[in-house]
Amino acid sequence: MKETKSTSLNEKAWKRLKRNRSAMFGLCIIIFAVLLAVFAYVVSPDNSPSANEQILQLETHPPGFKIKILKKIREGSQSTGAMDGLVNGFMKDYEPVPVLDYKFEKDSLQYTEYKGKVFKPEVYKITFADLIGTKSDDKLQPAEQKNFIEKNLIVERRYLLGTDKFGRDILSRLIIGVRVSLSVGLISVGISLIIGIFLGALAGFFRGWVDESIMFVINVFWSIPTLLLAMGLYISAGSLIENKLVMIFIAVGLTMWVDTARIVRGQFIVLREMEFVSAAKSLGFANGRIIFKHILPNILGPVIVVACANFANAILVESGLSYIGLGIQPPAPSWGSMLNEYKDFIDTDKAYLALFPGLAIMLLVLAFNLVGNGLRDALDVKGQLD
C-alpha cells in the first residue's frame, strides 16, 4: 500500500496563497520594491546621494527627454567606496554640463552649452588639459585624449520620467524614495508589533483589571486619528530627536499598535480557555512561558495579516507627514514630499510631476493590501477542502 505524504498547515496555506492571483501580483510588486530599495544606487540613472544631481538648465523637461552631458572634472574630489556608495550614493567628481553639440579643434573641445528652454545656447571652448585634469595620463597624445573624452566625459542621458524644477531625474528620486517608504513601514510595523503583542497578550490572558486598564489606553489611542496622533508625537518629541527619519519611525509605530493589540487580545481570550493551556497550567508552567511559547505561536496567522495592513497604513502615514512638511527633509526624496511639491502642476501639461509619486504610493499600498487579503484567505482553514 502506497503511503500518502502528509502536508503541513503552512504548506497548505502557501498552496492556497499561490492560487490567489491578486495576492501573487502584490507579492511580486513587494519583492521588486525590496530589490529596488536594496540596489537603489546601482540601478538609478542618477546615483548621487539622494539622487540630488541638479542641472538647472534641464528644469521640468518632459518624460523621454534626451541630451548629451559633458563631465567637467573637479580637481581634488574624492571617490566613493563601493559599499558606501551602495548605501549612501556616489559623490560626483565632475560638474555636469548639458550640451547640444561639440567638436574637437586641435588640443581643445568646442561645445554648445544648452541653457534651458528660455535662453539661447552658447558656445564655449576648453582645452584638453583643463577638461581632463589629472584623470588621465599627461603623456596621452591628442588623438588618445579625444578618445578618452568621448568615451568617459561625454555621455548621452535619457530622462525616462522627465526632470523636476531643479533639473533632477524624477525616475531616480522615485527609486530612492522606495527606501524611505519600505524602511518606515518595516521599522514602524516592528514597533507596533512589539507593543501590540505585549499589551494584547497581557490583556487577553490575565483579564480583570489588567484588561480594563489596557483597553482604556487602547480606546484612547483608537479615538485619535492616526495622522493627527503622528503629527502630535512628531511635533512634541521632534526637538529631542535630531534624526527626522527615526522620529517618523517612532511616531508612526506608536500610532499603529492598537490594531495589533485588539486582535491579539481577542485571540488570547479564545485560546486561554483551550485544553492545551489548561494542561500547561496543570504542569506548573509559568505564565510567561504559556503566553509566549504556547499561545502566541498559534495566533501568528492573524498577526501577520494585520502586519501587512499596518505596513500599507505606515506608508500612507509617512507620505501624509511628508506631504505636509513634517516628514523626510530635503534633499532626501520622499513620495509624499514630491507629491506636495508638484500638486500645483496637476491641472497643467506637467501633471506627470505629481502623478508619478502618487501612482508609486498607490501601487505599493495596493500590493500590501492584496497580500494581506490573500494571507487572510490562505490562513483561514474554515471551509477549506485542502
Side-chain angles (χ1 to χ4, degrees):
M1 182 177 178
K2 186 177 180 180
E3 295 183 0
T4 58
K5 184 180 179 180
S6 60
T7 305
S8 67
L9 294 177
N10 290 335
E11 291 175 341
K12 291 180 179 180
W14 172 241
K15 288 181 179 179
R16 289 193 290 266
L17 183 64
K18 287 195 295 185
R19 290 199 296 265
N20 190 326
R21 293 184 179 179
S22 60
M24 296 308 296
F25 171 72
L27 185 60
C28 289
I29 293 176
I30 293 172
I31 294 173
F32 179 69
V34 171
L35 292 175
L36 273 184
V38 174
F39 301 104
Y41 286 112
V42 176
V43 300
S44 295
D46 176 12
N47 60 3
S48 62
S50 299
N52 192 42
E53 185 181 64
Q54 301 182 16
I55 308 177
L56 298 180
Q57 301 95 314
L58 305 183
E59 171 191 2
T60 60
H61 280 63
F65 174 74
K66 181 173 63 174
I67 195 169
K68 294 182 180 67
I69 299 294
L70 172 64
K71 300 178 180 180
K72 298 177 69 174
I73 300 299
R74 296 193 187 106
E75 293 297 331
S77 57
Q78 297 181 352
S79 60
T80 306
M83 288 304 300
D84 188 31
L86 184 64
V87 176
N88 301 312
F90 297 86
M91 297 295 296
K92 299 301 181 181
D93 59 354
Y94 61 86
E95 176 189 351
V97 178
V99 298
L100 297 175
D101 195 11
Y102 67 92
K103 65 179 181 179
F104 294 101
E105 294 182 351
K106 295 183 179 179
D107 62 345
S108 63
L109 173 70
Q110 179 179 303
Y111 61 92
T112 304
E113 182 178 347
Y114 177 66
K115 293 291 187 177
K117 301 176 183 178
V118 179
F119 302 101
K120 292 183 179 180
E122 295 186 16
V123 178
Y124 296 92
K125 183 181 290 187
I126 185 172
T127 63
F128 293 163
D130 291 336
L131 181 61
I132 297 176
T134 60
K135 293 294 181 180
S136 180
D137 192 343
D138 294 336
K139 296 180 180 180
L140 286 178
Q141 298 299 317
E144 296 173 320
Q145 290 178 331
K146 291 179 183 179
N147 292 334
F148 179 84
I149 292 172
E150 284 195 302
K151 183 178 180 180
N152 298 282
L153 302 184
I154 299 178
V155 297
E156 186 175 75
R157 289 187 186 175
R158 180 183 293 274
Y159 296 88
L160 295 177
L161 299 185
T163 59
D164 64 10
K165 64 182 181 181
F166 297 108
R168 297 176 297 194
D169 182 36
I170 293 178
L171 176 60
S172 299
R173 292 182 65 78
L174 286 176
I175 292 175
I176 305 302
V178 175
R179 283 190 168 188
V180 175
S181 295
L182 290 181
S183 61
V184 169
L186 181 63
I187 298 179
S188 299
V189 168
I191 294 173
S192 67
L193 287 177
I194 293 172
I195 299 175
I197 290 175
F198 180 74
L199 294 181
L202 293 180
F205 185 81
F206 292 106
R207 302 304 303 274
W209 68 269
V210 176
D211 185 24
E212 292 176 1
S213 301
I214 293 176
M215 282 304 300
F216 175 77
V217 176
I218 289 175
N219 289 330
V220 170
F221 275 81
W222 192 272
S223 64
I224 305 175
T226 301
L227 187 58
L228 183 61
L229 182 58
M231 288 172 55
L233 290 170
Y234 186 94
I235 295 172
S236 61
S239 60
L240 302 177
I241 302 176
E242 295 183 0
N243 192 321
K244 297 303 180 183
L245 187 58
V246 174
M247 187 64 249
I248 292 176
F249 293 155
I250 297 173
V252 177
L254 291 180
T255 60
M256 295 168 46
W257 64 270
V258 291
D259 297 312
T260 305
R262 287 170 67 94
I263 290 178
V264 170
R265 172 183 175 272
Q267 294 292 318
F268 263 76
I269 290 175
V270 174
L271 293 180
R272 71 190 294 270
E273 307 298 334
M274 301 293 287
E275 293 181 354
F276 73 91
V277 175
S278 301
K281 289 181 178 179
S282 65
L283 291 173
F285 292 157
N287 290 332
R289 176 172 178 175
I290 296 174
I291 291 173
F292 294 105
K293 295 192 67 175
H294 295 273
I295 300 180
L296 188 58
N298 288 281
I299 66 168
L300 289 182
V303 170
I304 293 174
V305 173
V306 75
C308 287
N310 282 346
F311 211 115
N313 290 334
I315 295 172
L316 288 176
V317 172
E318 183 278 325
S319 299
L321 288 173
S322 297
Y323 183 84
I324 61 178
L326 296 178
I328 305 300
Q329 299 302 307
S334 168
W335 293 344
S337 60
M338 293 174 67
L339 190 61
N340 174 57
E341 193 172 2
Y342 301 109
K343 63 181 184 298
D344 296 332
F345 290 85
I346 199 67
D347 57 349
T348 68
D349 59 347
K350 297 180 177 61
Y352 60 87
L353 291 170
L355 184 62
F356 290 139
L359 288 175
I361 295 171
M362 182 195 72
L363 192 61
L364 194 55
V365 170
L366 175 64
F368 278 102
N369 283 328
L370 291 176
V371 172
N373 292 336
L375 286 172
R376 181 195 59 200
D377 296 337
L379 296 172
D380 183 12
V381 297
K382 296 179 181 179
Q384 300 288 350
L385 298 178
D386 55 351

